[in-house]
């Protein structure tokens, strides 16, 4: 018959063996589950990689939806301004670096100043024969004066602000020079009894002696009439 000590020792040994067996079983179970997961991943690696790519795509789409959209709106807005006020992509500063361009710009500024202050005389600016003056073709310098005086009865207190960022200066082989730019025009229209304002793209063409042979209004933007001066 076993003593109490032997019985206690045996029980302790059996408990230890059971604990080891349980730990071994748990470890084996974890290893088995891990092995199964690796096997599934190995057998289905295209799906796993596809899932990662989809996740990355979703994140990238979210970022671009707000970041890229804002950038595109800014870019579009900039292009609209550029095409509106700078149709030729040539800046005023570049023209001033050209001696001839600088001279022509002074002529244009003086012309608009004389028109604004009622001091305009066609002989100071135009050649003896003019190909076009605003809406009239093929006229003499004296006829330019007549057209101006007729227009000035309807266009009261005219003012043209030159938009310095919108210029094209070019010269051909015959030494004919062209300035192409935008102005903001304001005046009082007697025939309408209202103030008029708009942006006008104008073209000045000069002969070799720097006399104007063409003054043409090419395009109009934002034409507005109002009862009060804006």
């Amino acid at each position: 018959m076993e003593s109490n000590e032997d019985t206690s020792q045996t029980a302790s040994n059996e408990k230890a063996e059971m604990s080891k067996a349980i730990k071994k079983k748990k470890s084996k179970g974890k290893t088995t589950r891990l092995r199964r997961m690796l096997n599934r991943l190995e057998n289905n690696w295209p799906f796993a990689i596809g899932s990662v790519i989809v996740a990355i795509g979703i994140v990238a789409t979210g970022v671009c939806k707000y970041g890229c959209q804002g950038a595109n709106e800014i870019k579009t807005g900039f292009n609209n301004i550029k095409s509106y006020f700078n149709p030729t992509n040539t800046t005023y500063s570049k023209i001033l670096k050209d001696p001839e361009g600088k001279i022509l710009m002074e002529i244009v500024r003086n012309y608009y100043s004389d028109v604004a202050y009622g001091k305009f005389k066609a002989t100071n600016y135009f050649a003896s024969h003019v190909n076009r003056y605003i809406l009239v073709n093929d006229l003499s310098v004296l006829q330019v004066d007549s057209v101006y005086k007729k227009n000035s009865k309807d266009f009261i207190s005219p003012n043209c602000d030159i938009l310095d960022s919108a210029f094209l200066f070019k010269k051909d082989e015959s030494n004919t020079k062209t300035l192409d730019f935008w102005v903001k025009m304001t005046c009082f229209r007697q025939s309408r009894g209202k103030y008029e304002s708009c942006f006008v793209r104008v073209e000045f063409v000069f002969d070799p002696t720097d006399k104007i042979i063409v003054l043409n209004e090419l395009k109009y933007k934002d034409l507005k009439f109002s009862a009060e001066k804006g």
Side-chain angles (χ1 to χ4, degrees):
M1 179 176 280
E2 295 182 0
S3 65
N4 290 336
E5 288 184 10
D6 293 337
T7 303
S8 177
Q9 181 65 38
T10 301
S12 178
N13 291 339
E14 289 177 354
K15 187 177 181 180
E17 289 296 328
M18 288 180 64
S19 179
K20 289 181 181 179
I22 292 172
K23 288 181 179 180
K24 185 176 181 180
K25 186 176 181 180
K26 288 183 177 179
S27 176
K28 185 178 179 180
K30 290 181 180 178
T31 304
T32 301
R33 286 195 298 272
L34 180 60
R35 185 177 290 109
R36 287 175 182 171
M37 290 176 64
L38 291 174
N39 288 337
R40 284 198 296 268
L41 183 60
E42 182 179 1
N43 294 331
N44 297 281
W45 63 267
F47 174 78
I49 294 176
S51 300
V52 173
I53 293 174
V54 170
I56 293 173
I58 292 173
V59 173
T61 301
V63 172
C64 193
K65 179 180 179 181
Y66 298 100
C68 297
Q69 181 178 354
N72 288 335
E73 288 176 355
I74 292 172
K75 183 178 179 182
T76 301
F78 173 76
N79 288 337
N80 288 340
I81 294 173
K82 187 166 138 182
S83 64
Y84 188 89
F85 290 112
N86 192 9
T88 60
N89 292 333
T90 304
T91 62
Y92 179 59
S93 60
K94 290 182 180 179
I95 292 178
L96 291 183
K97 292 179 181 178
D98 187 304
E100 290 183 314
K102 187 174 182 178
I103 291 172
L104 298 182
M105 278 308 310
E106 287 302 314
I107 293 174
V108 169
R109 289 187 182 281
N110 290 336
Y111 164 80
Y112 280 122
S113 177
D114 282 354
V115 169
Y117 288 100
K119 299 179 180 180
F120 172 77
K121 290 184 180 180
T123 52
N124 292 339
Y125 298 98
F126 287 83
S128 58
H129 180 268
V130 178
N131 296 335
R132 184 176 177 84
Y133 176 65
I134 306 179
L135 298 177
V136 184
N137 295 326
D138 295 322
L139 60 171
S140 69
V141 66
L142 294 179
Q143 288 174 315
V144 171
D145 262 327
S146 297
V147 173
Y148 164 76
K149 289 177 181 179
K150 180 180 178 180
N151 289 343
S152 62
K153 293 178 181 180
D154 187 23
F155 295 82
I156 310 299
S157 301
N159 183 70
C160 289
D161 294 325
I162 298 173
L163 305 181
D164 289 347
S165 63
F167 281 93
L168 168 67
F169 171 51
K170 60 183 179 181
K171 180 172 64 174
D172 62 19
E173 295 178 355
S174 65
N175 203 29
T176 298
K177 290 150 284 189
T178 301
L179 280 177
D180 180 334
F181 55 94
W182 288 82
V183 298
K184 182 179 180 181
M185 188 275 291
T186 57
C187 69
F188 180 79
R189 287 294 299 275
Q190 186 69 33
S191 59
R192 292 175 175 265
K194 293 182 178 180
Y195 291 94
E196 177 182 340
S197 67
C198 66
F199 293 100
V200 186
R201 183 179 174 184
V202 295
E203 176 188 50
F204 282 77
V205 181
F206 300 83
D207 68 12
T209 65
D210 294 340
K211 290 293 186 179
I212 301 170
I213 55 176
V214 172
L215 199 176
N216 196 15
E217 295 182 348
L218 302 174
K219 195 173 183 179
Y220 303 92
K221 288 279 190 179
D222 292 347
L223 179 60
K224 297 176 182 178
F225 294 94
S226 60
E228 297 181 1
K229 188 174 182 180

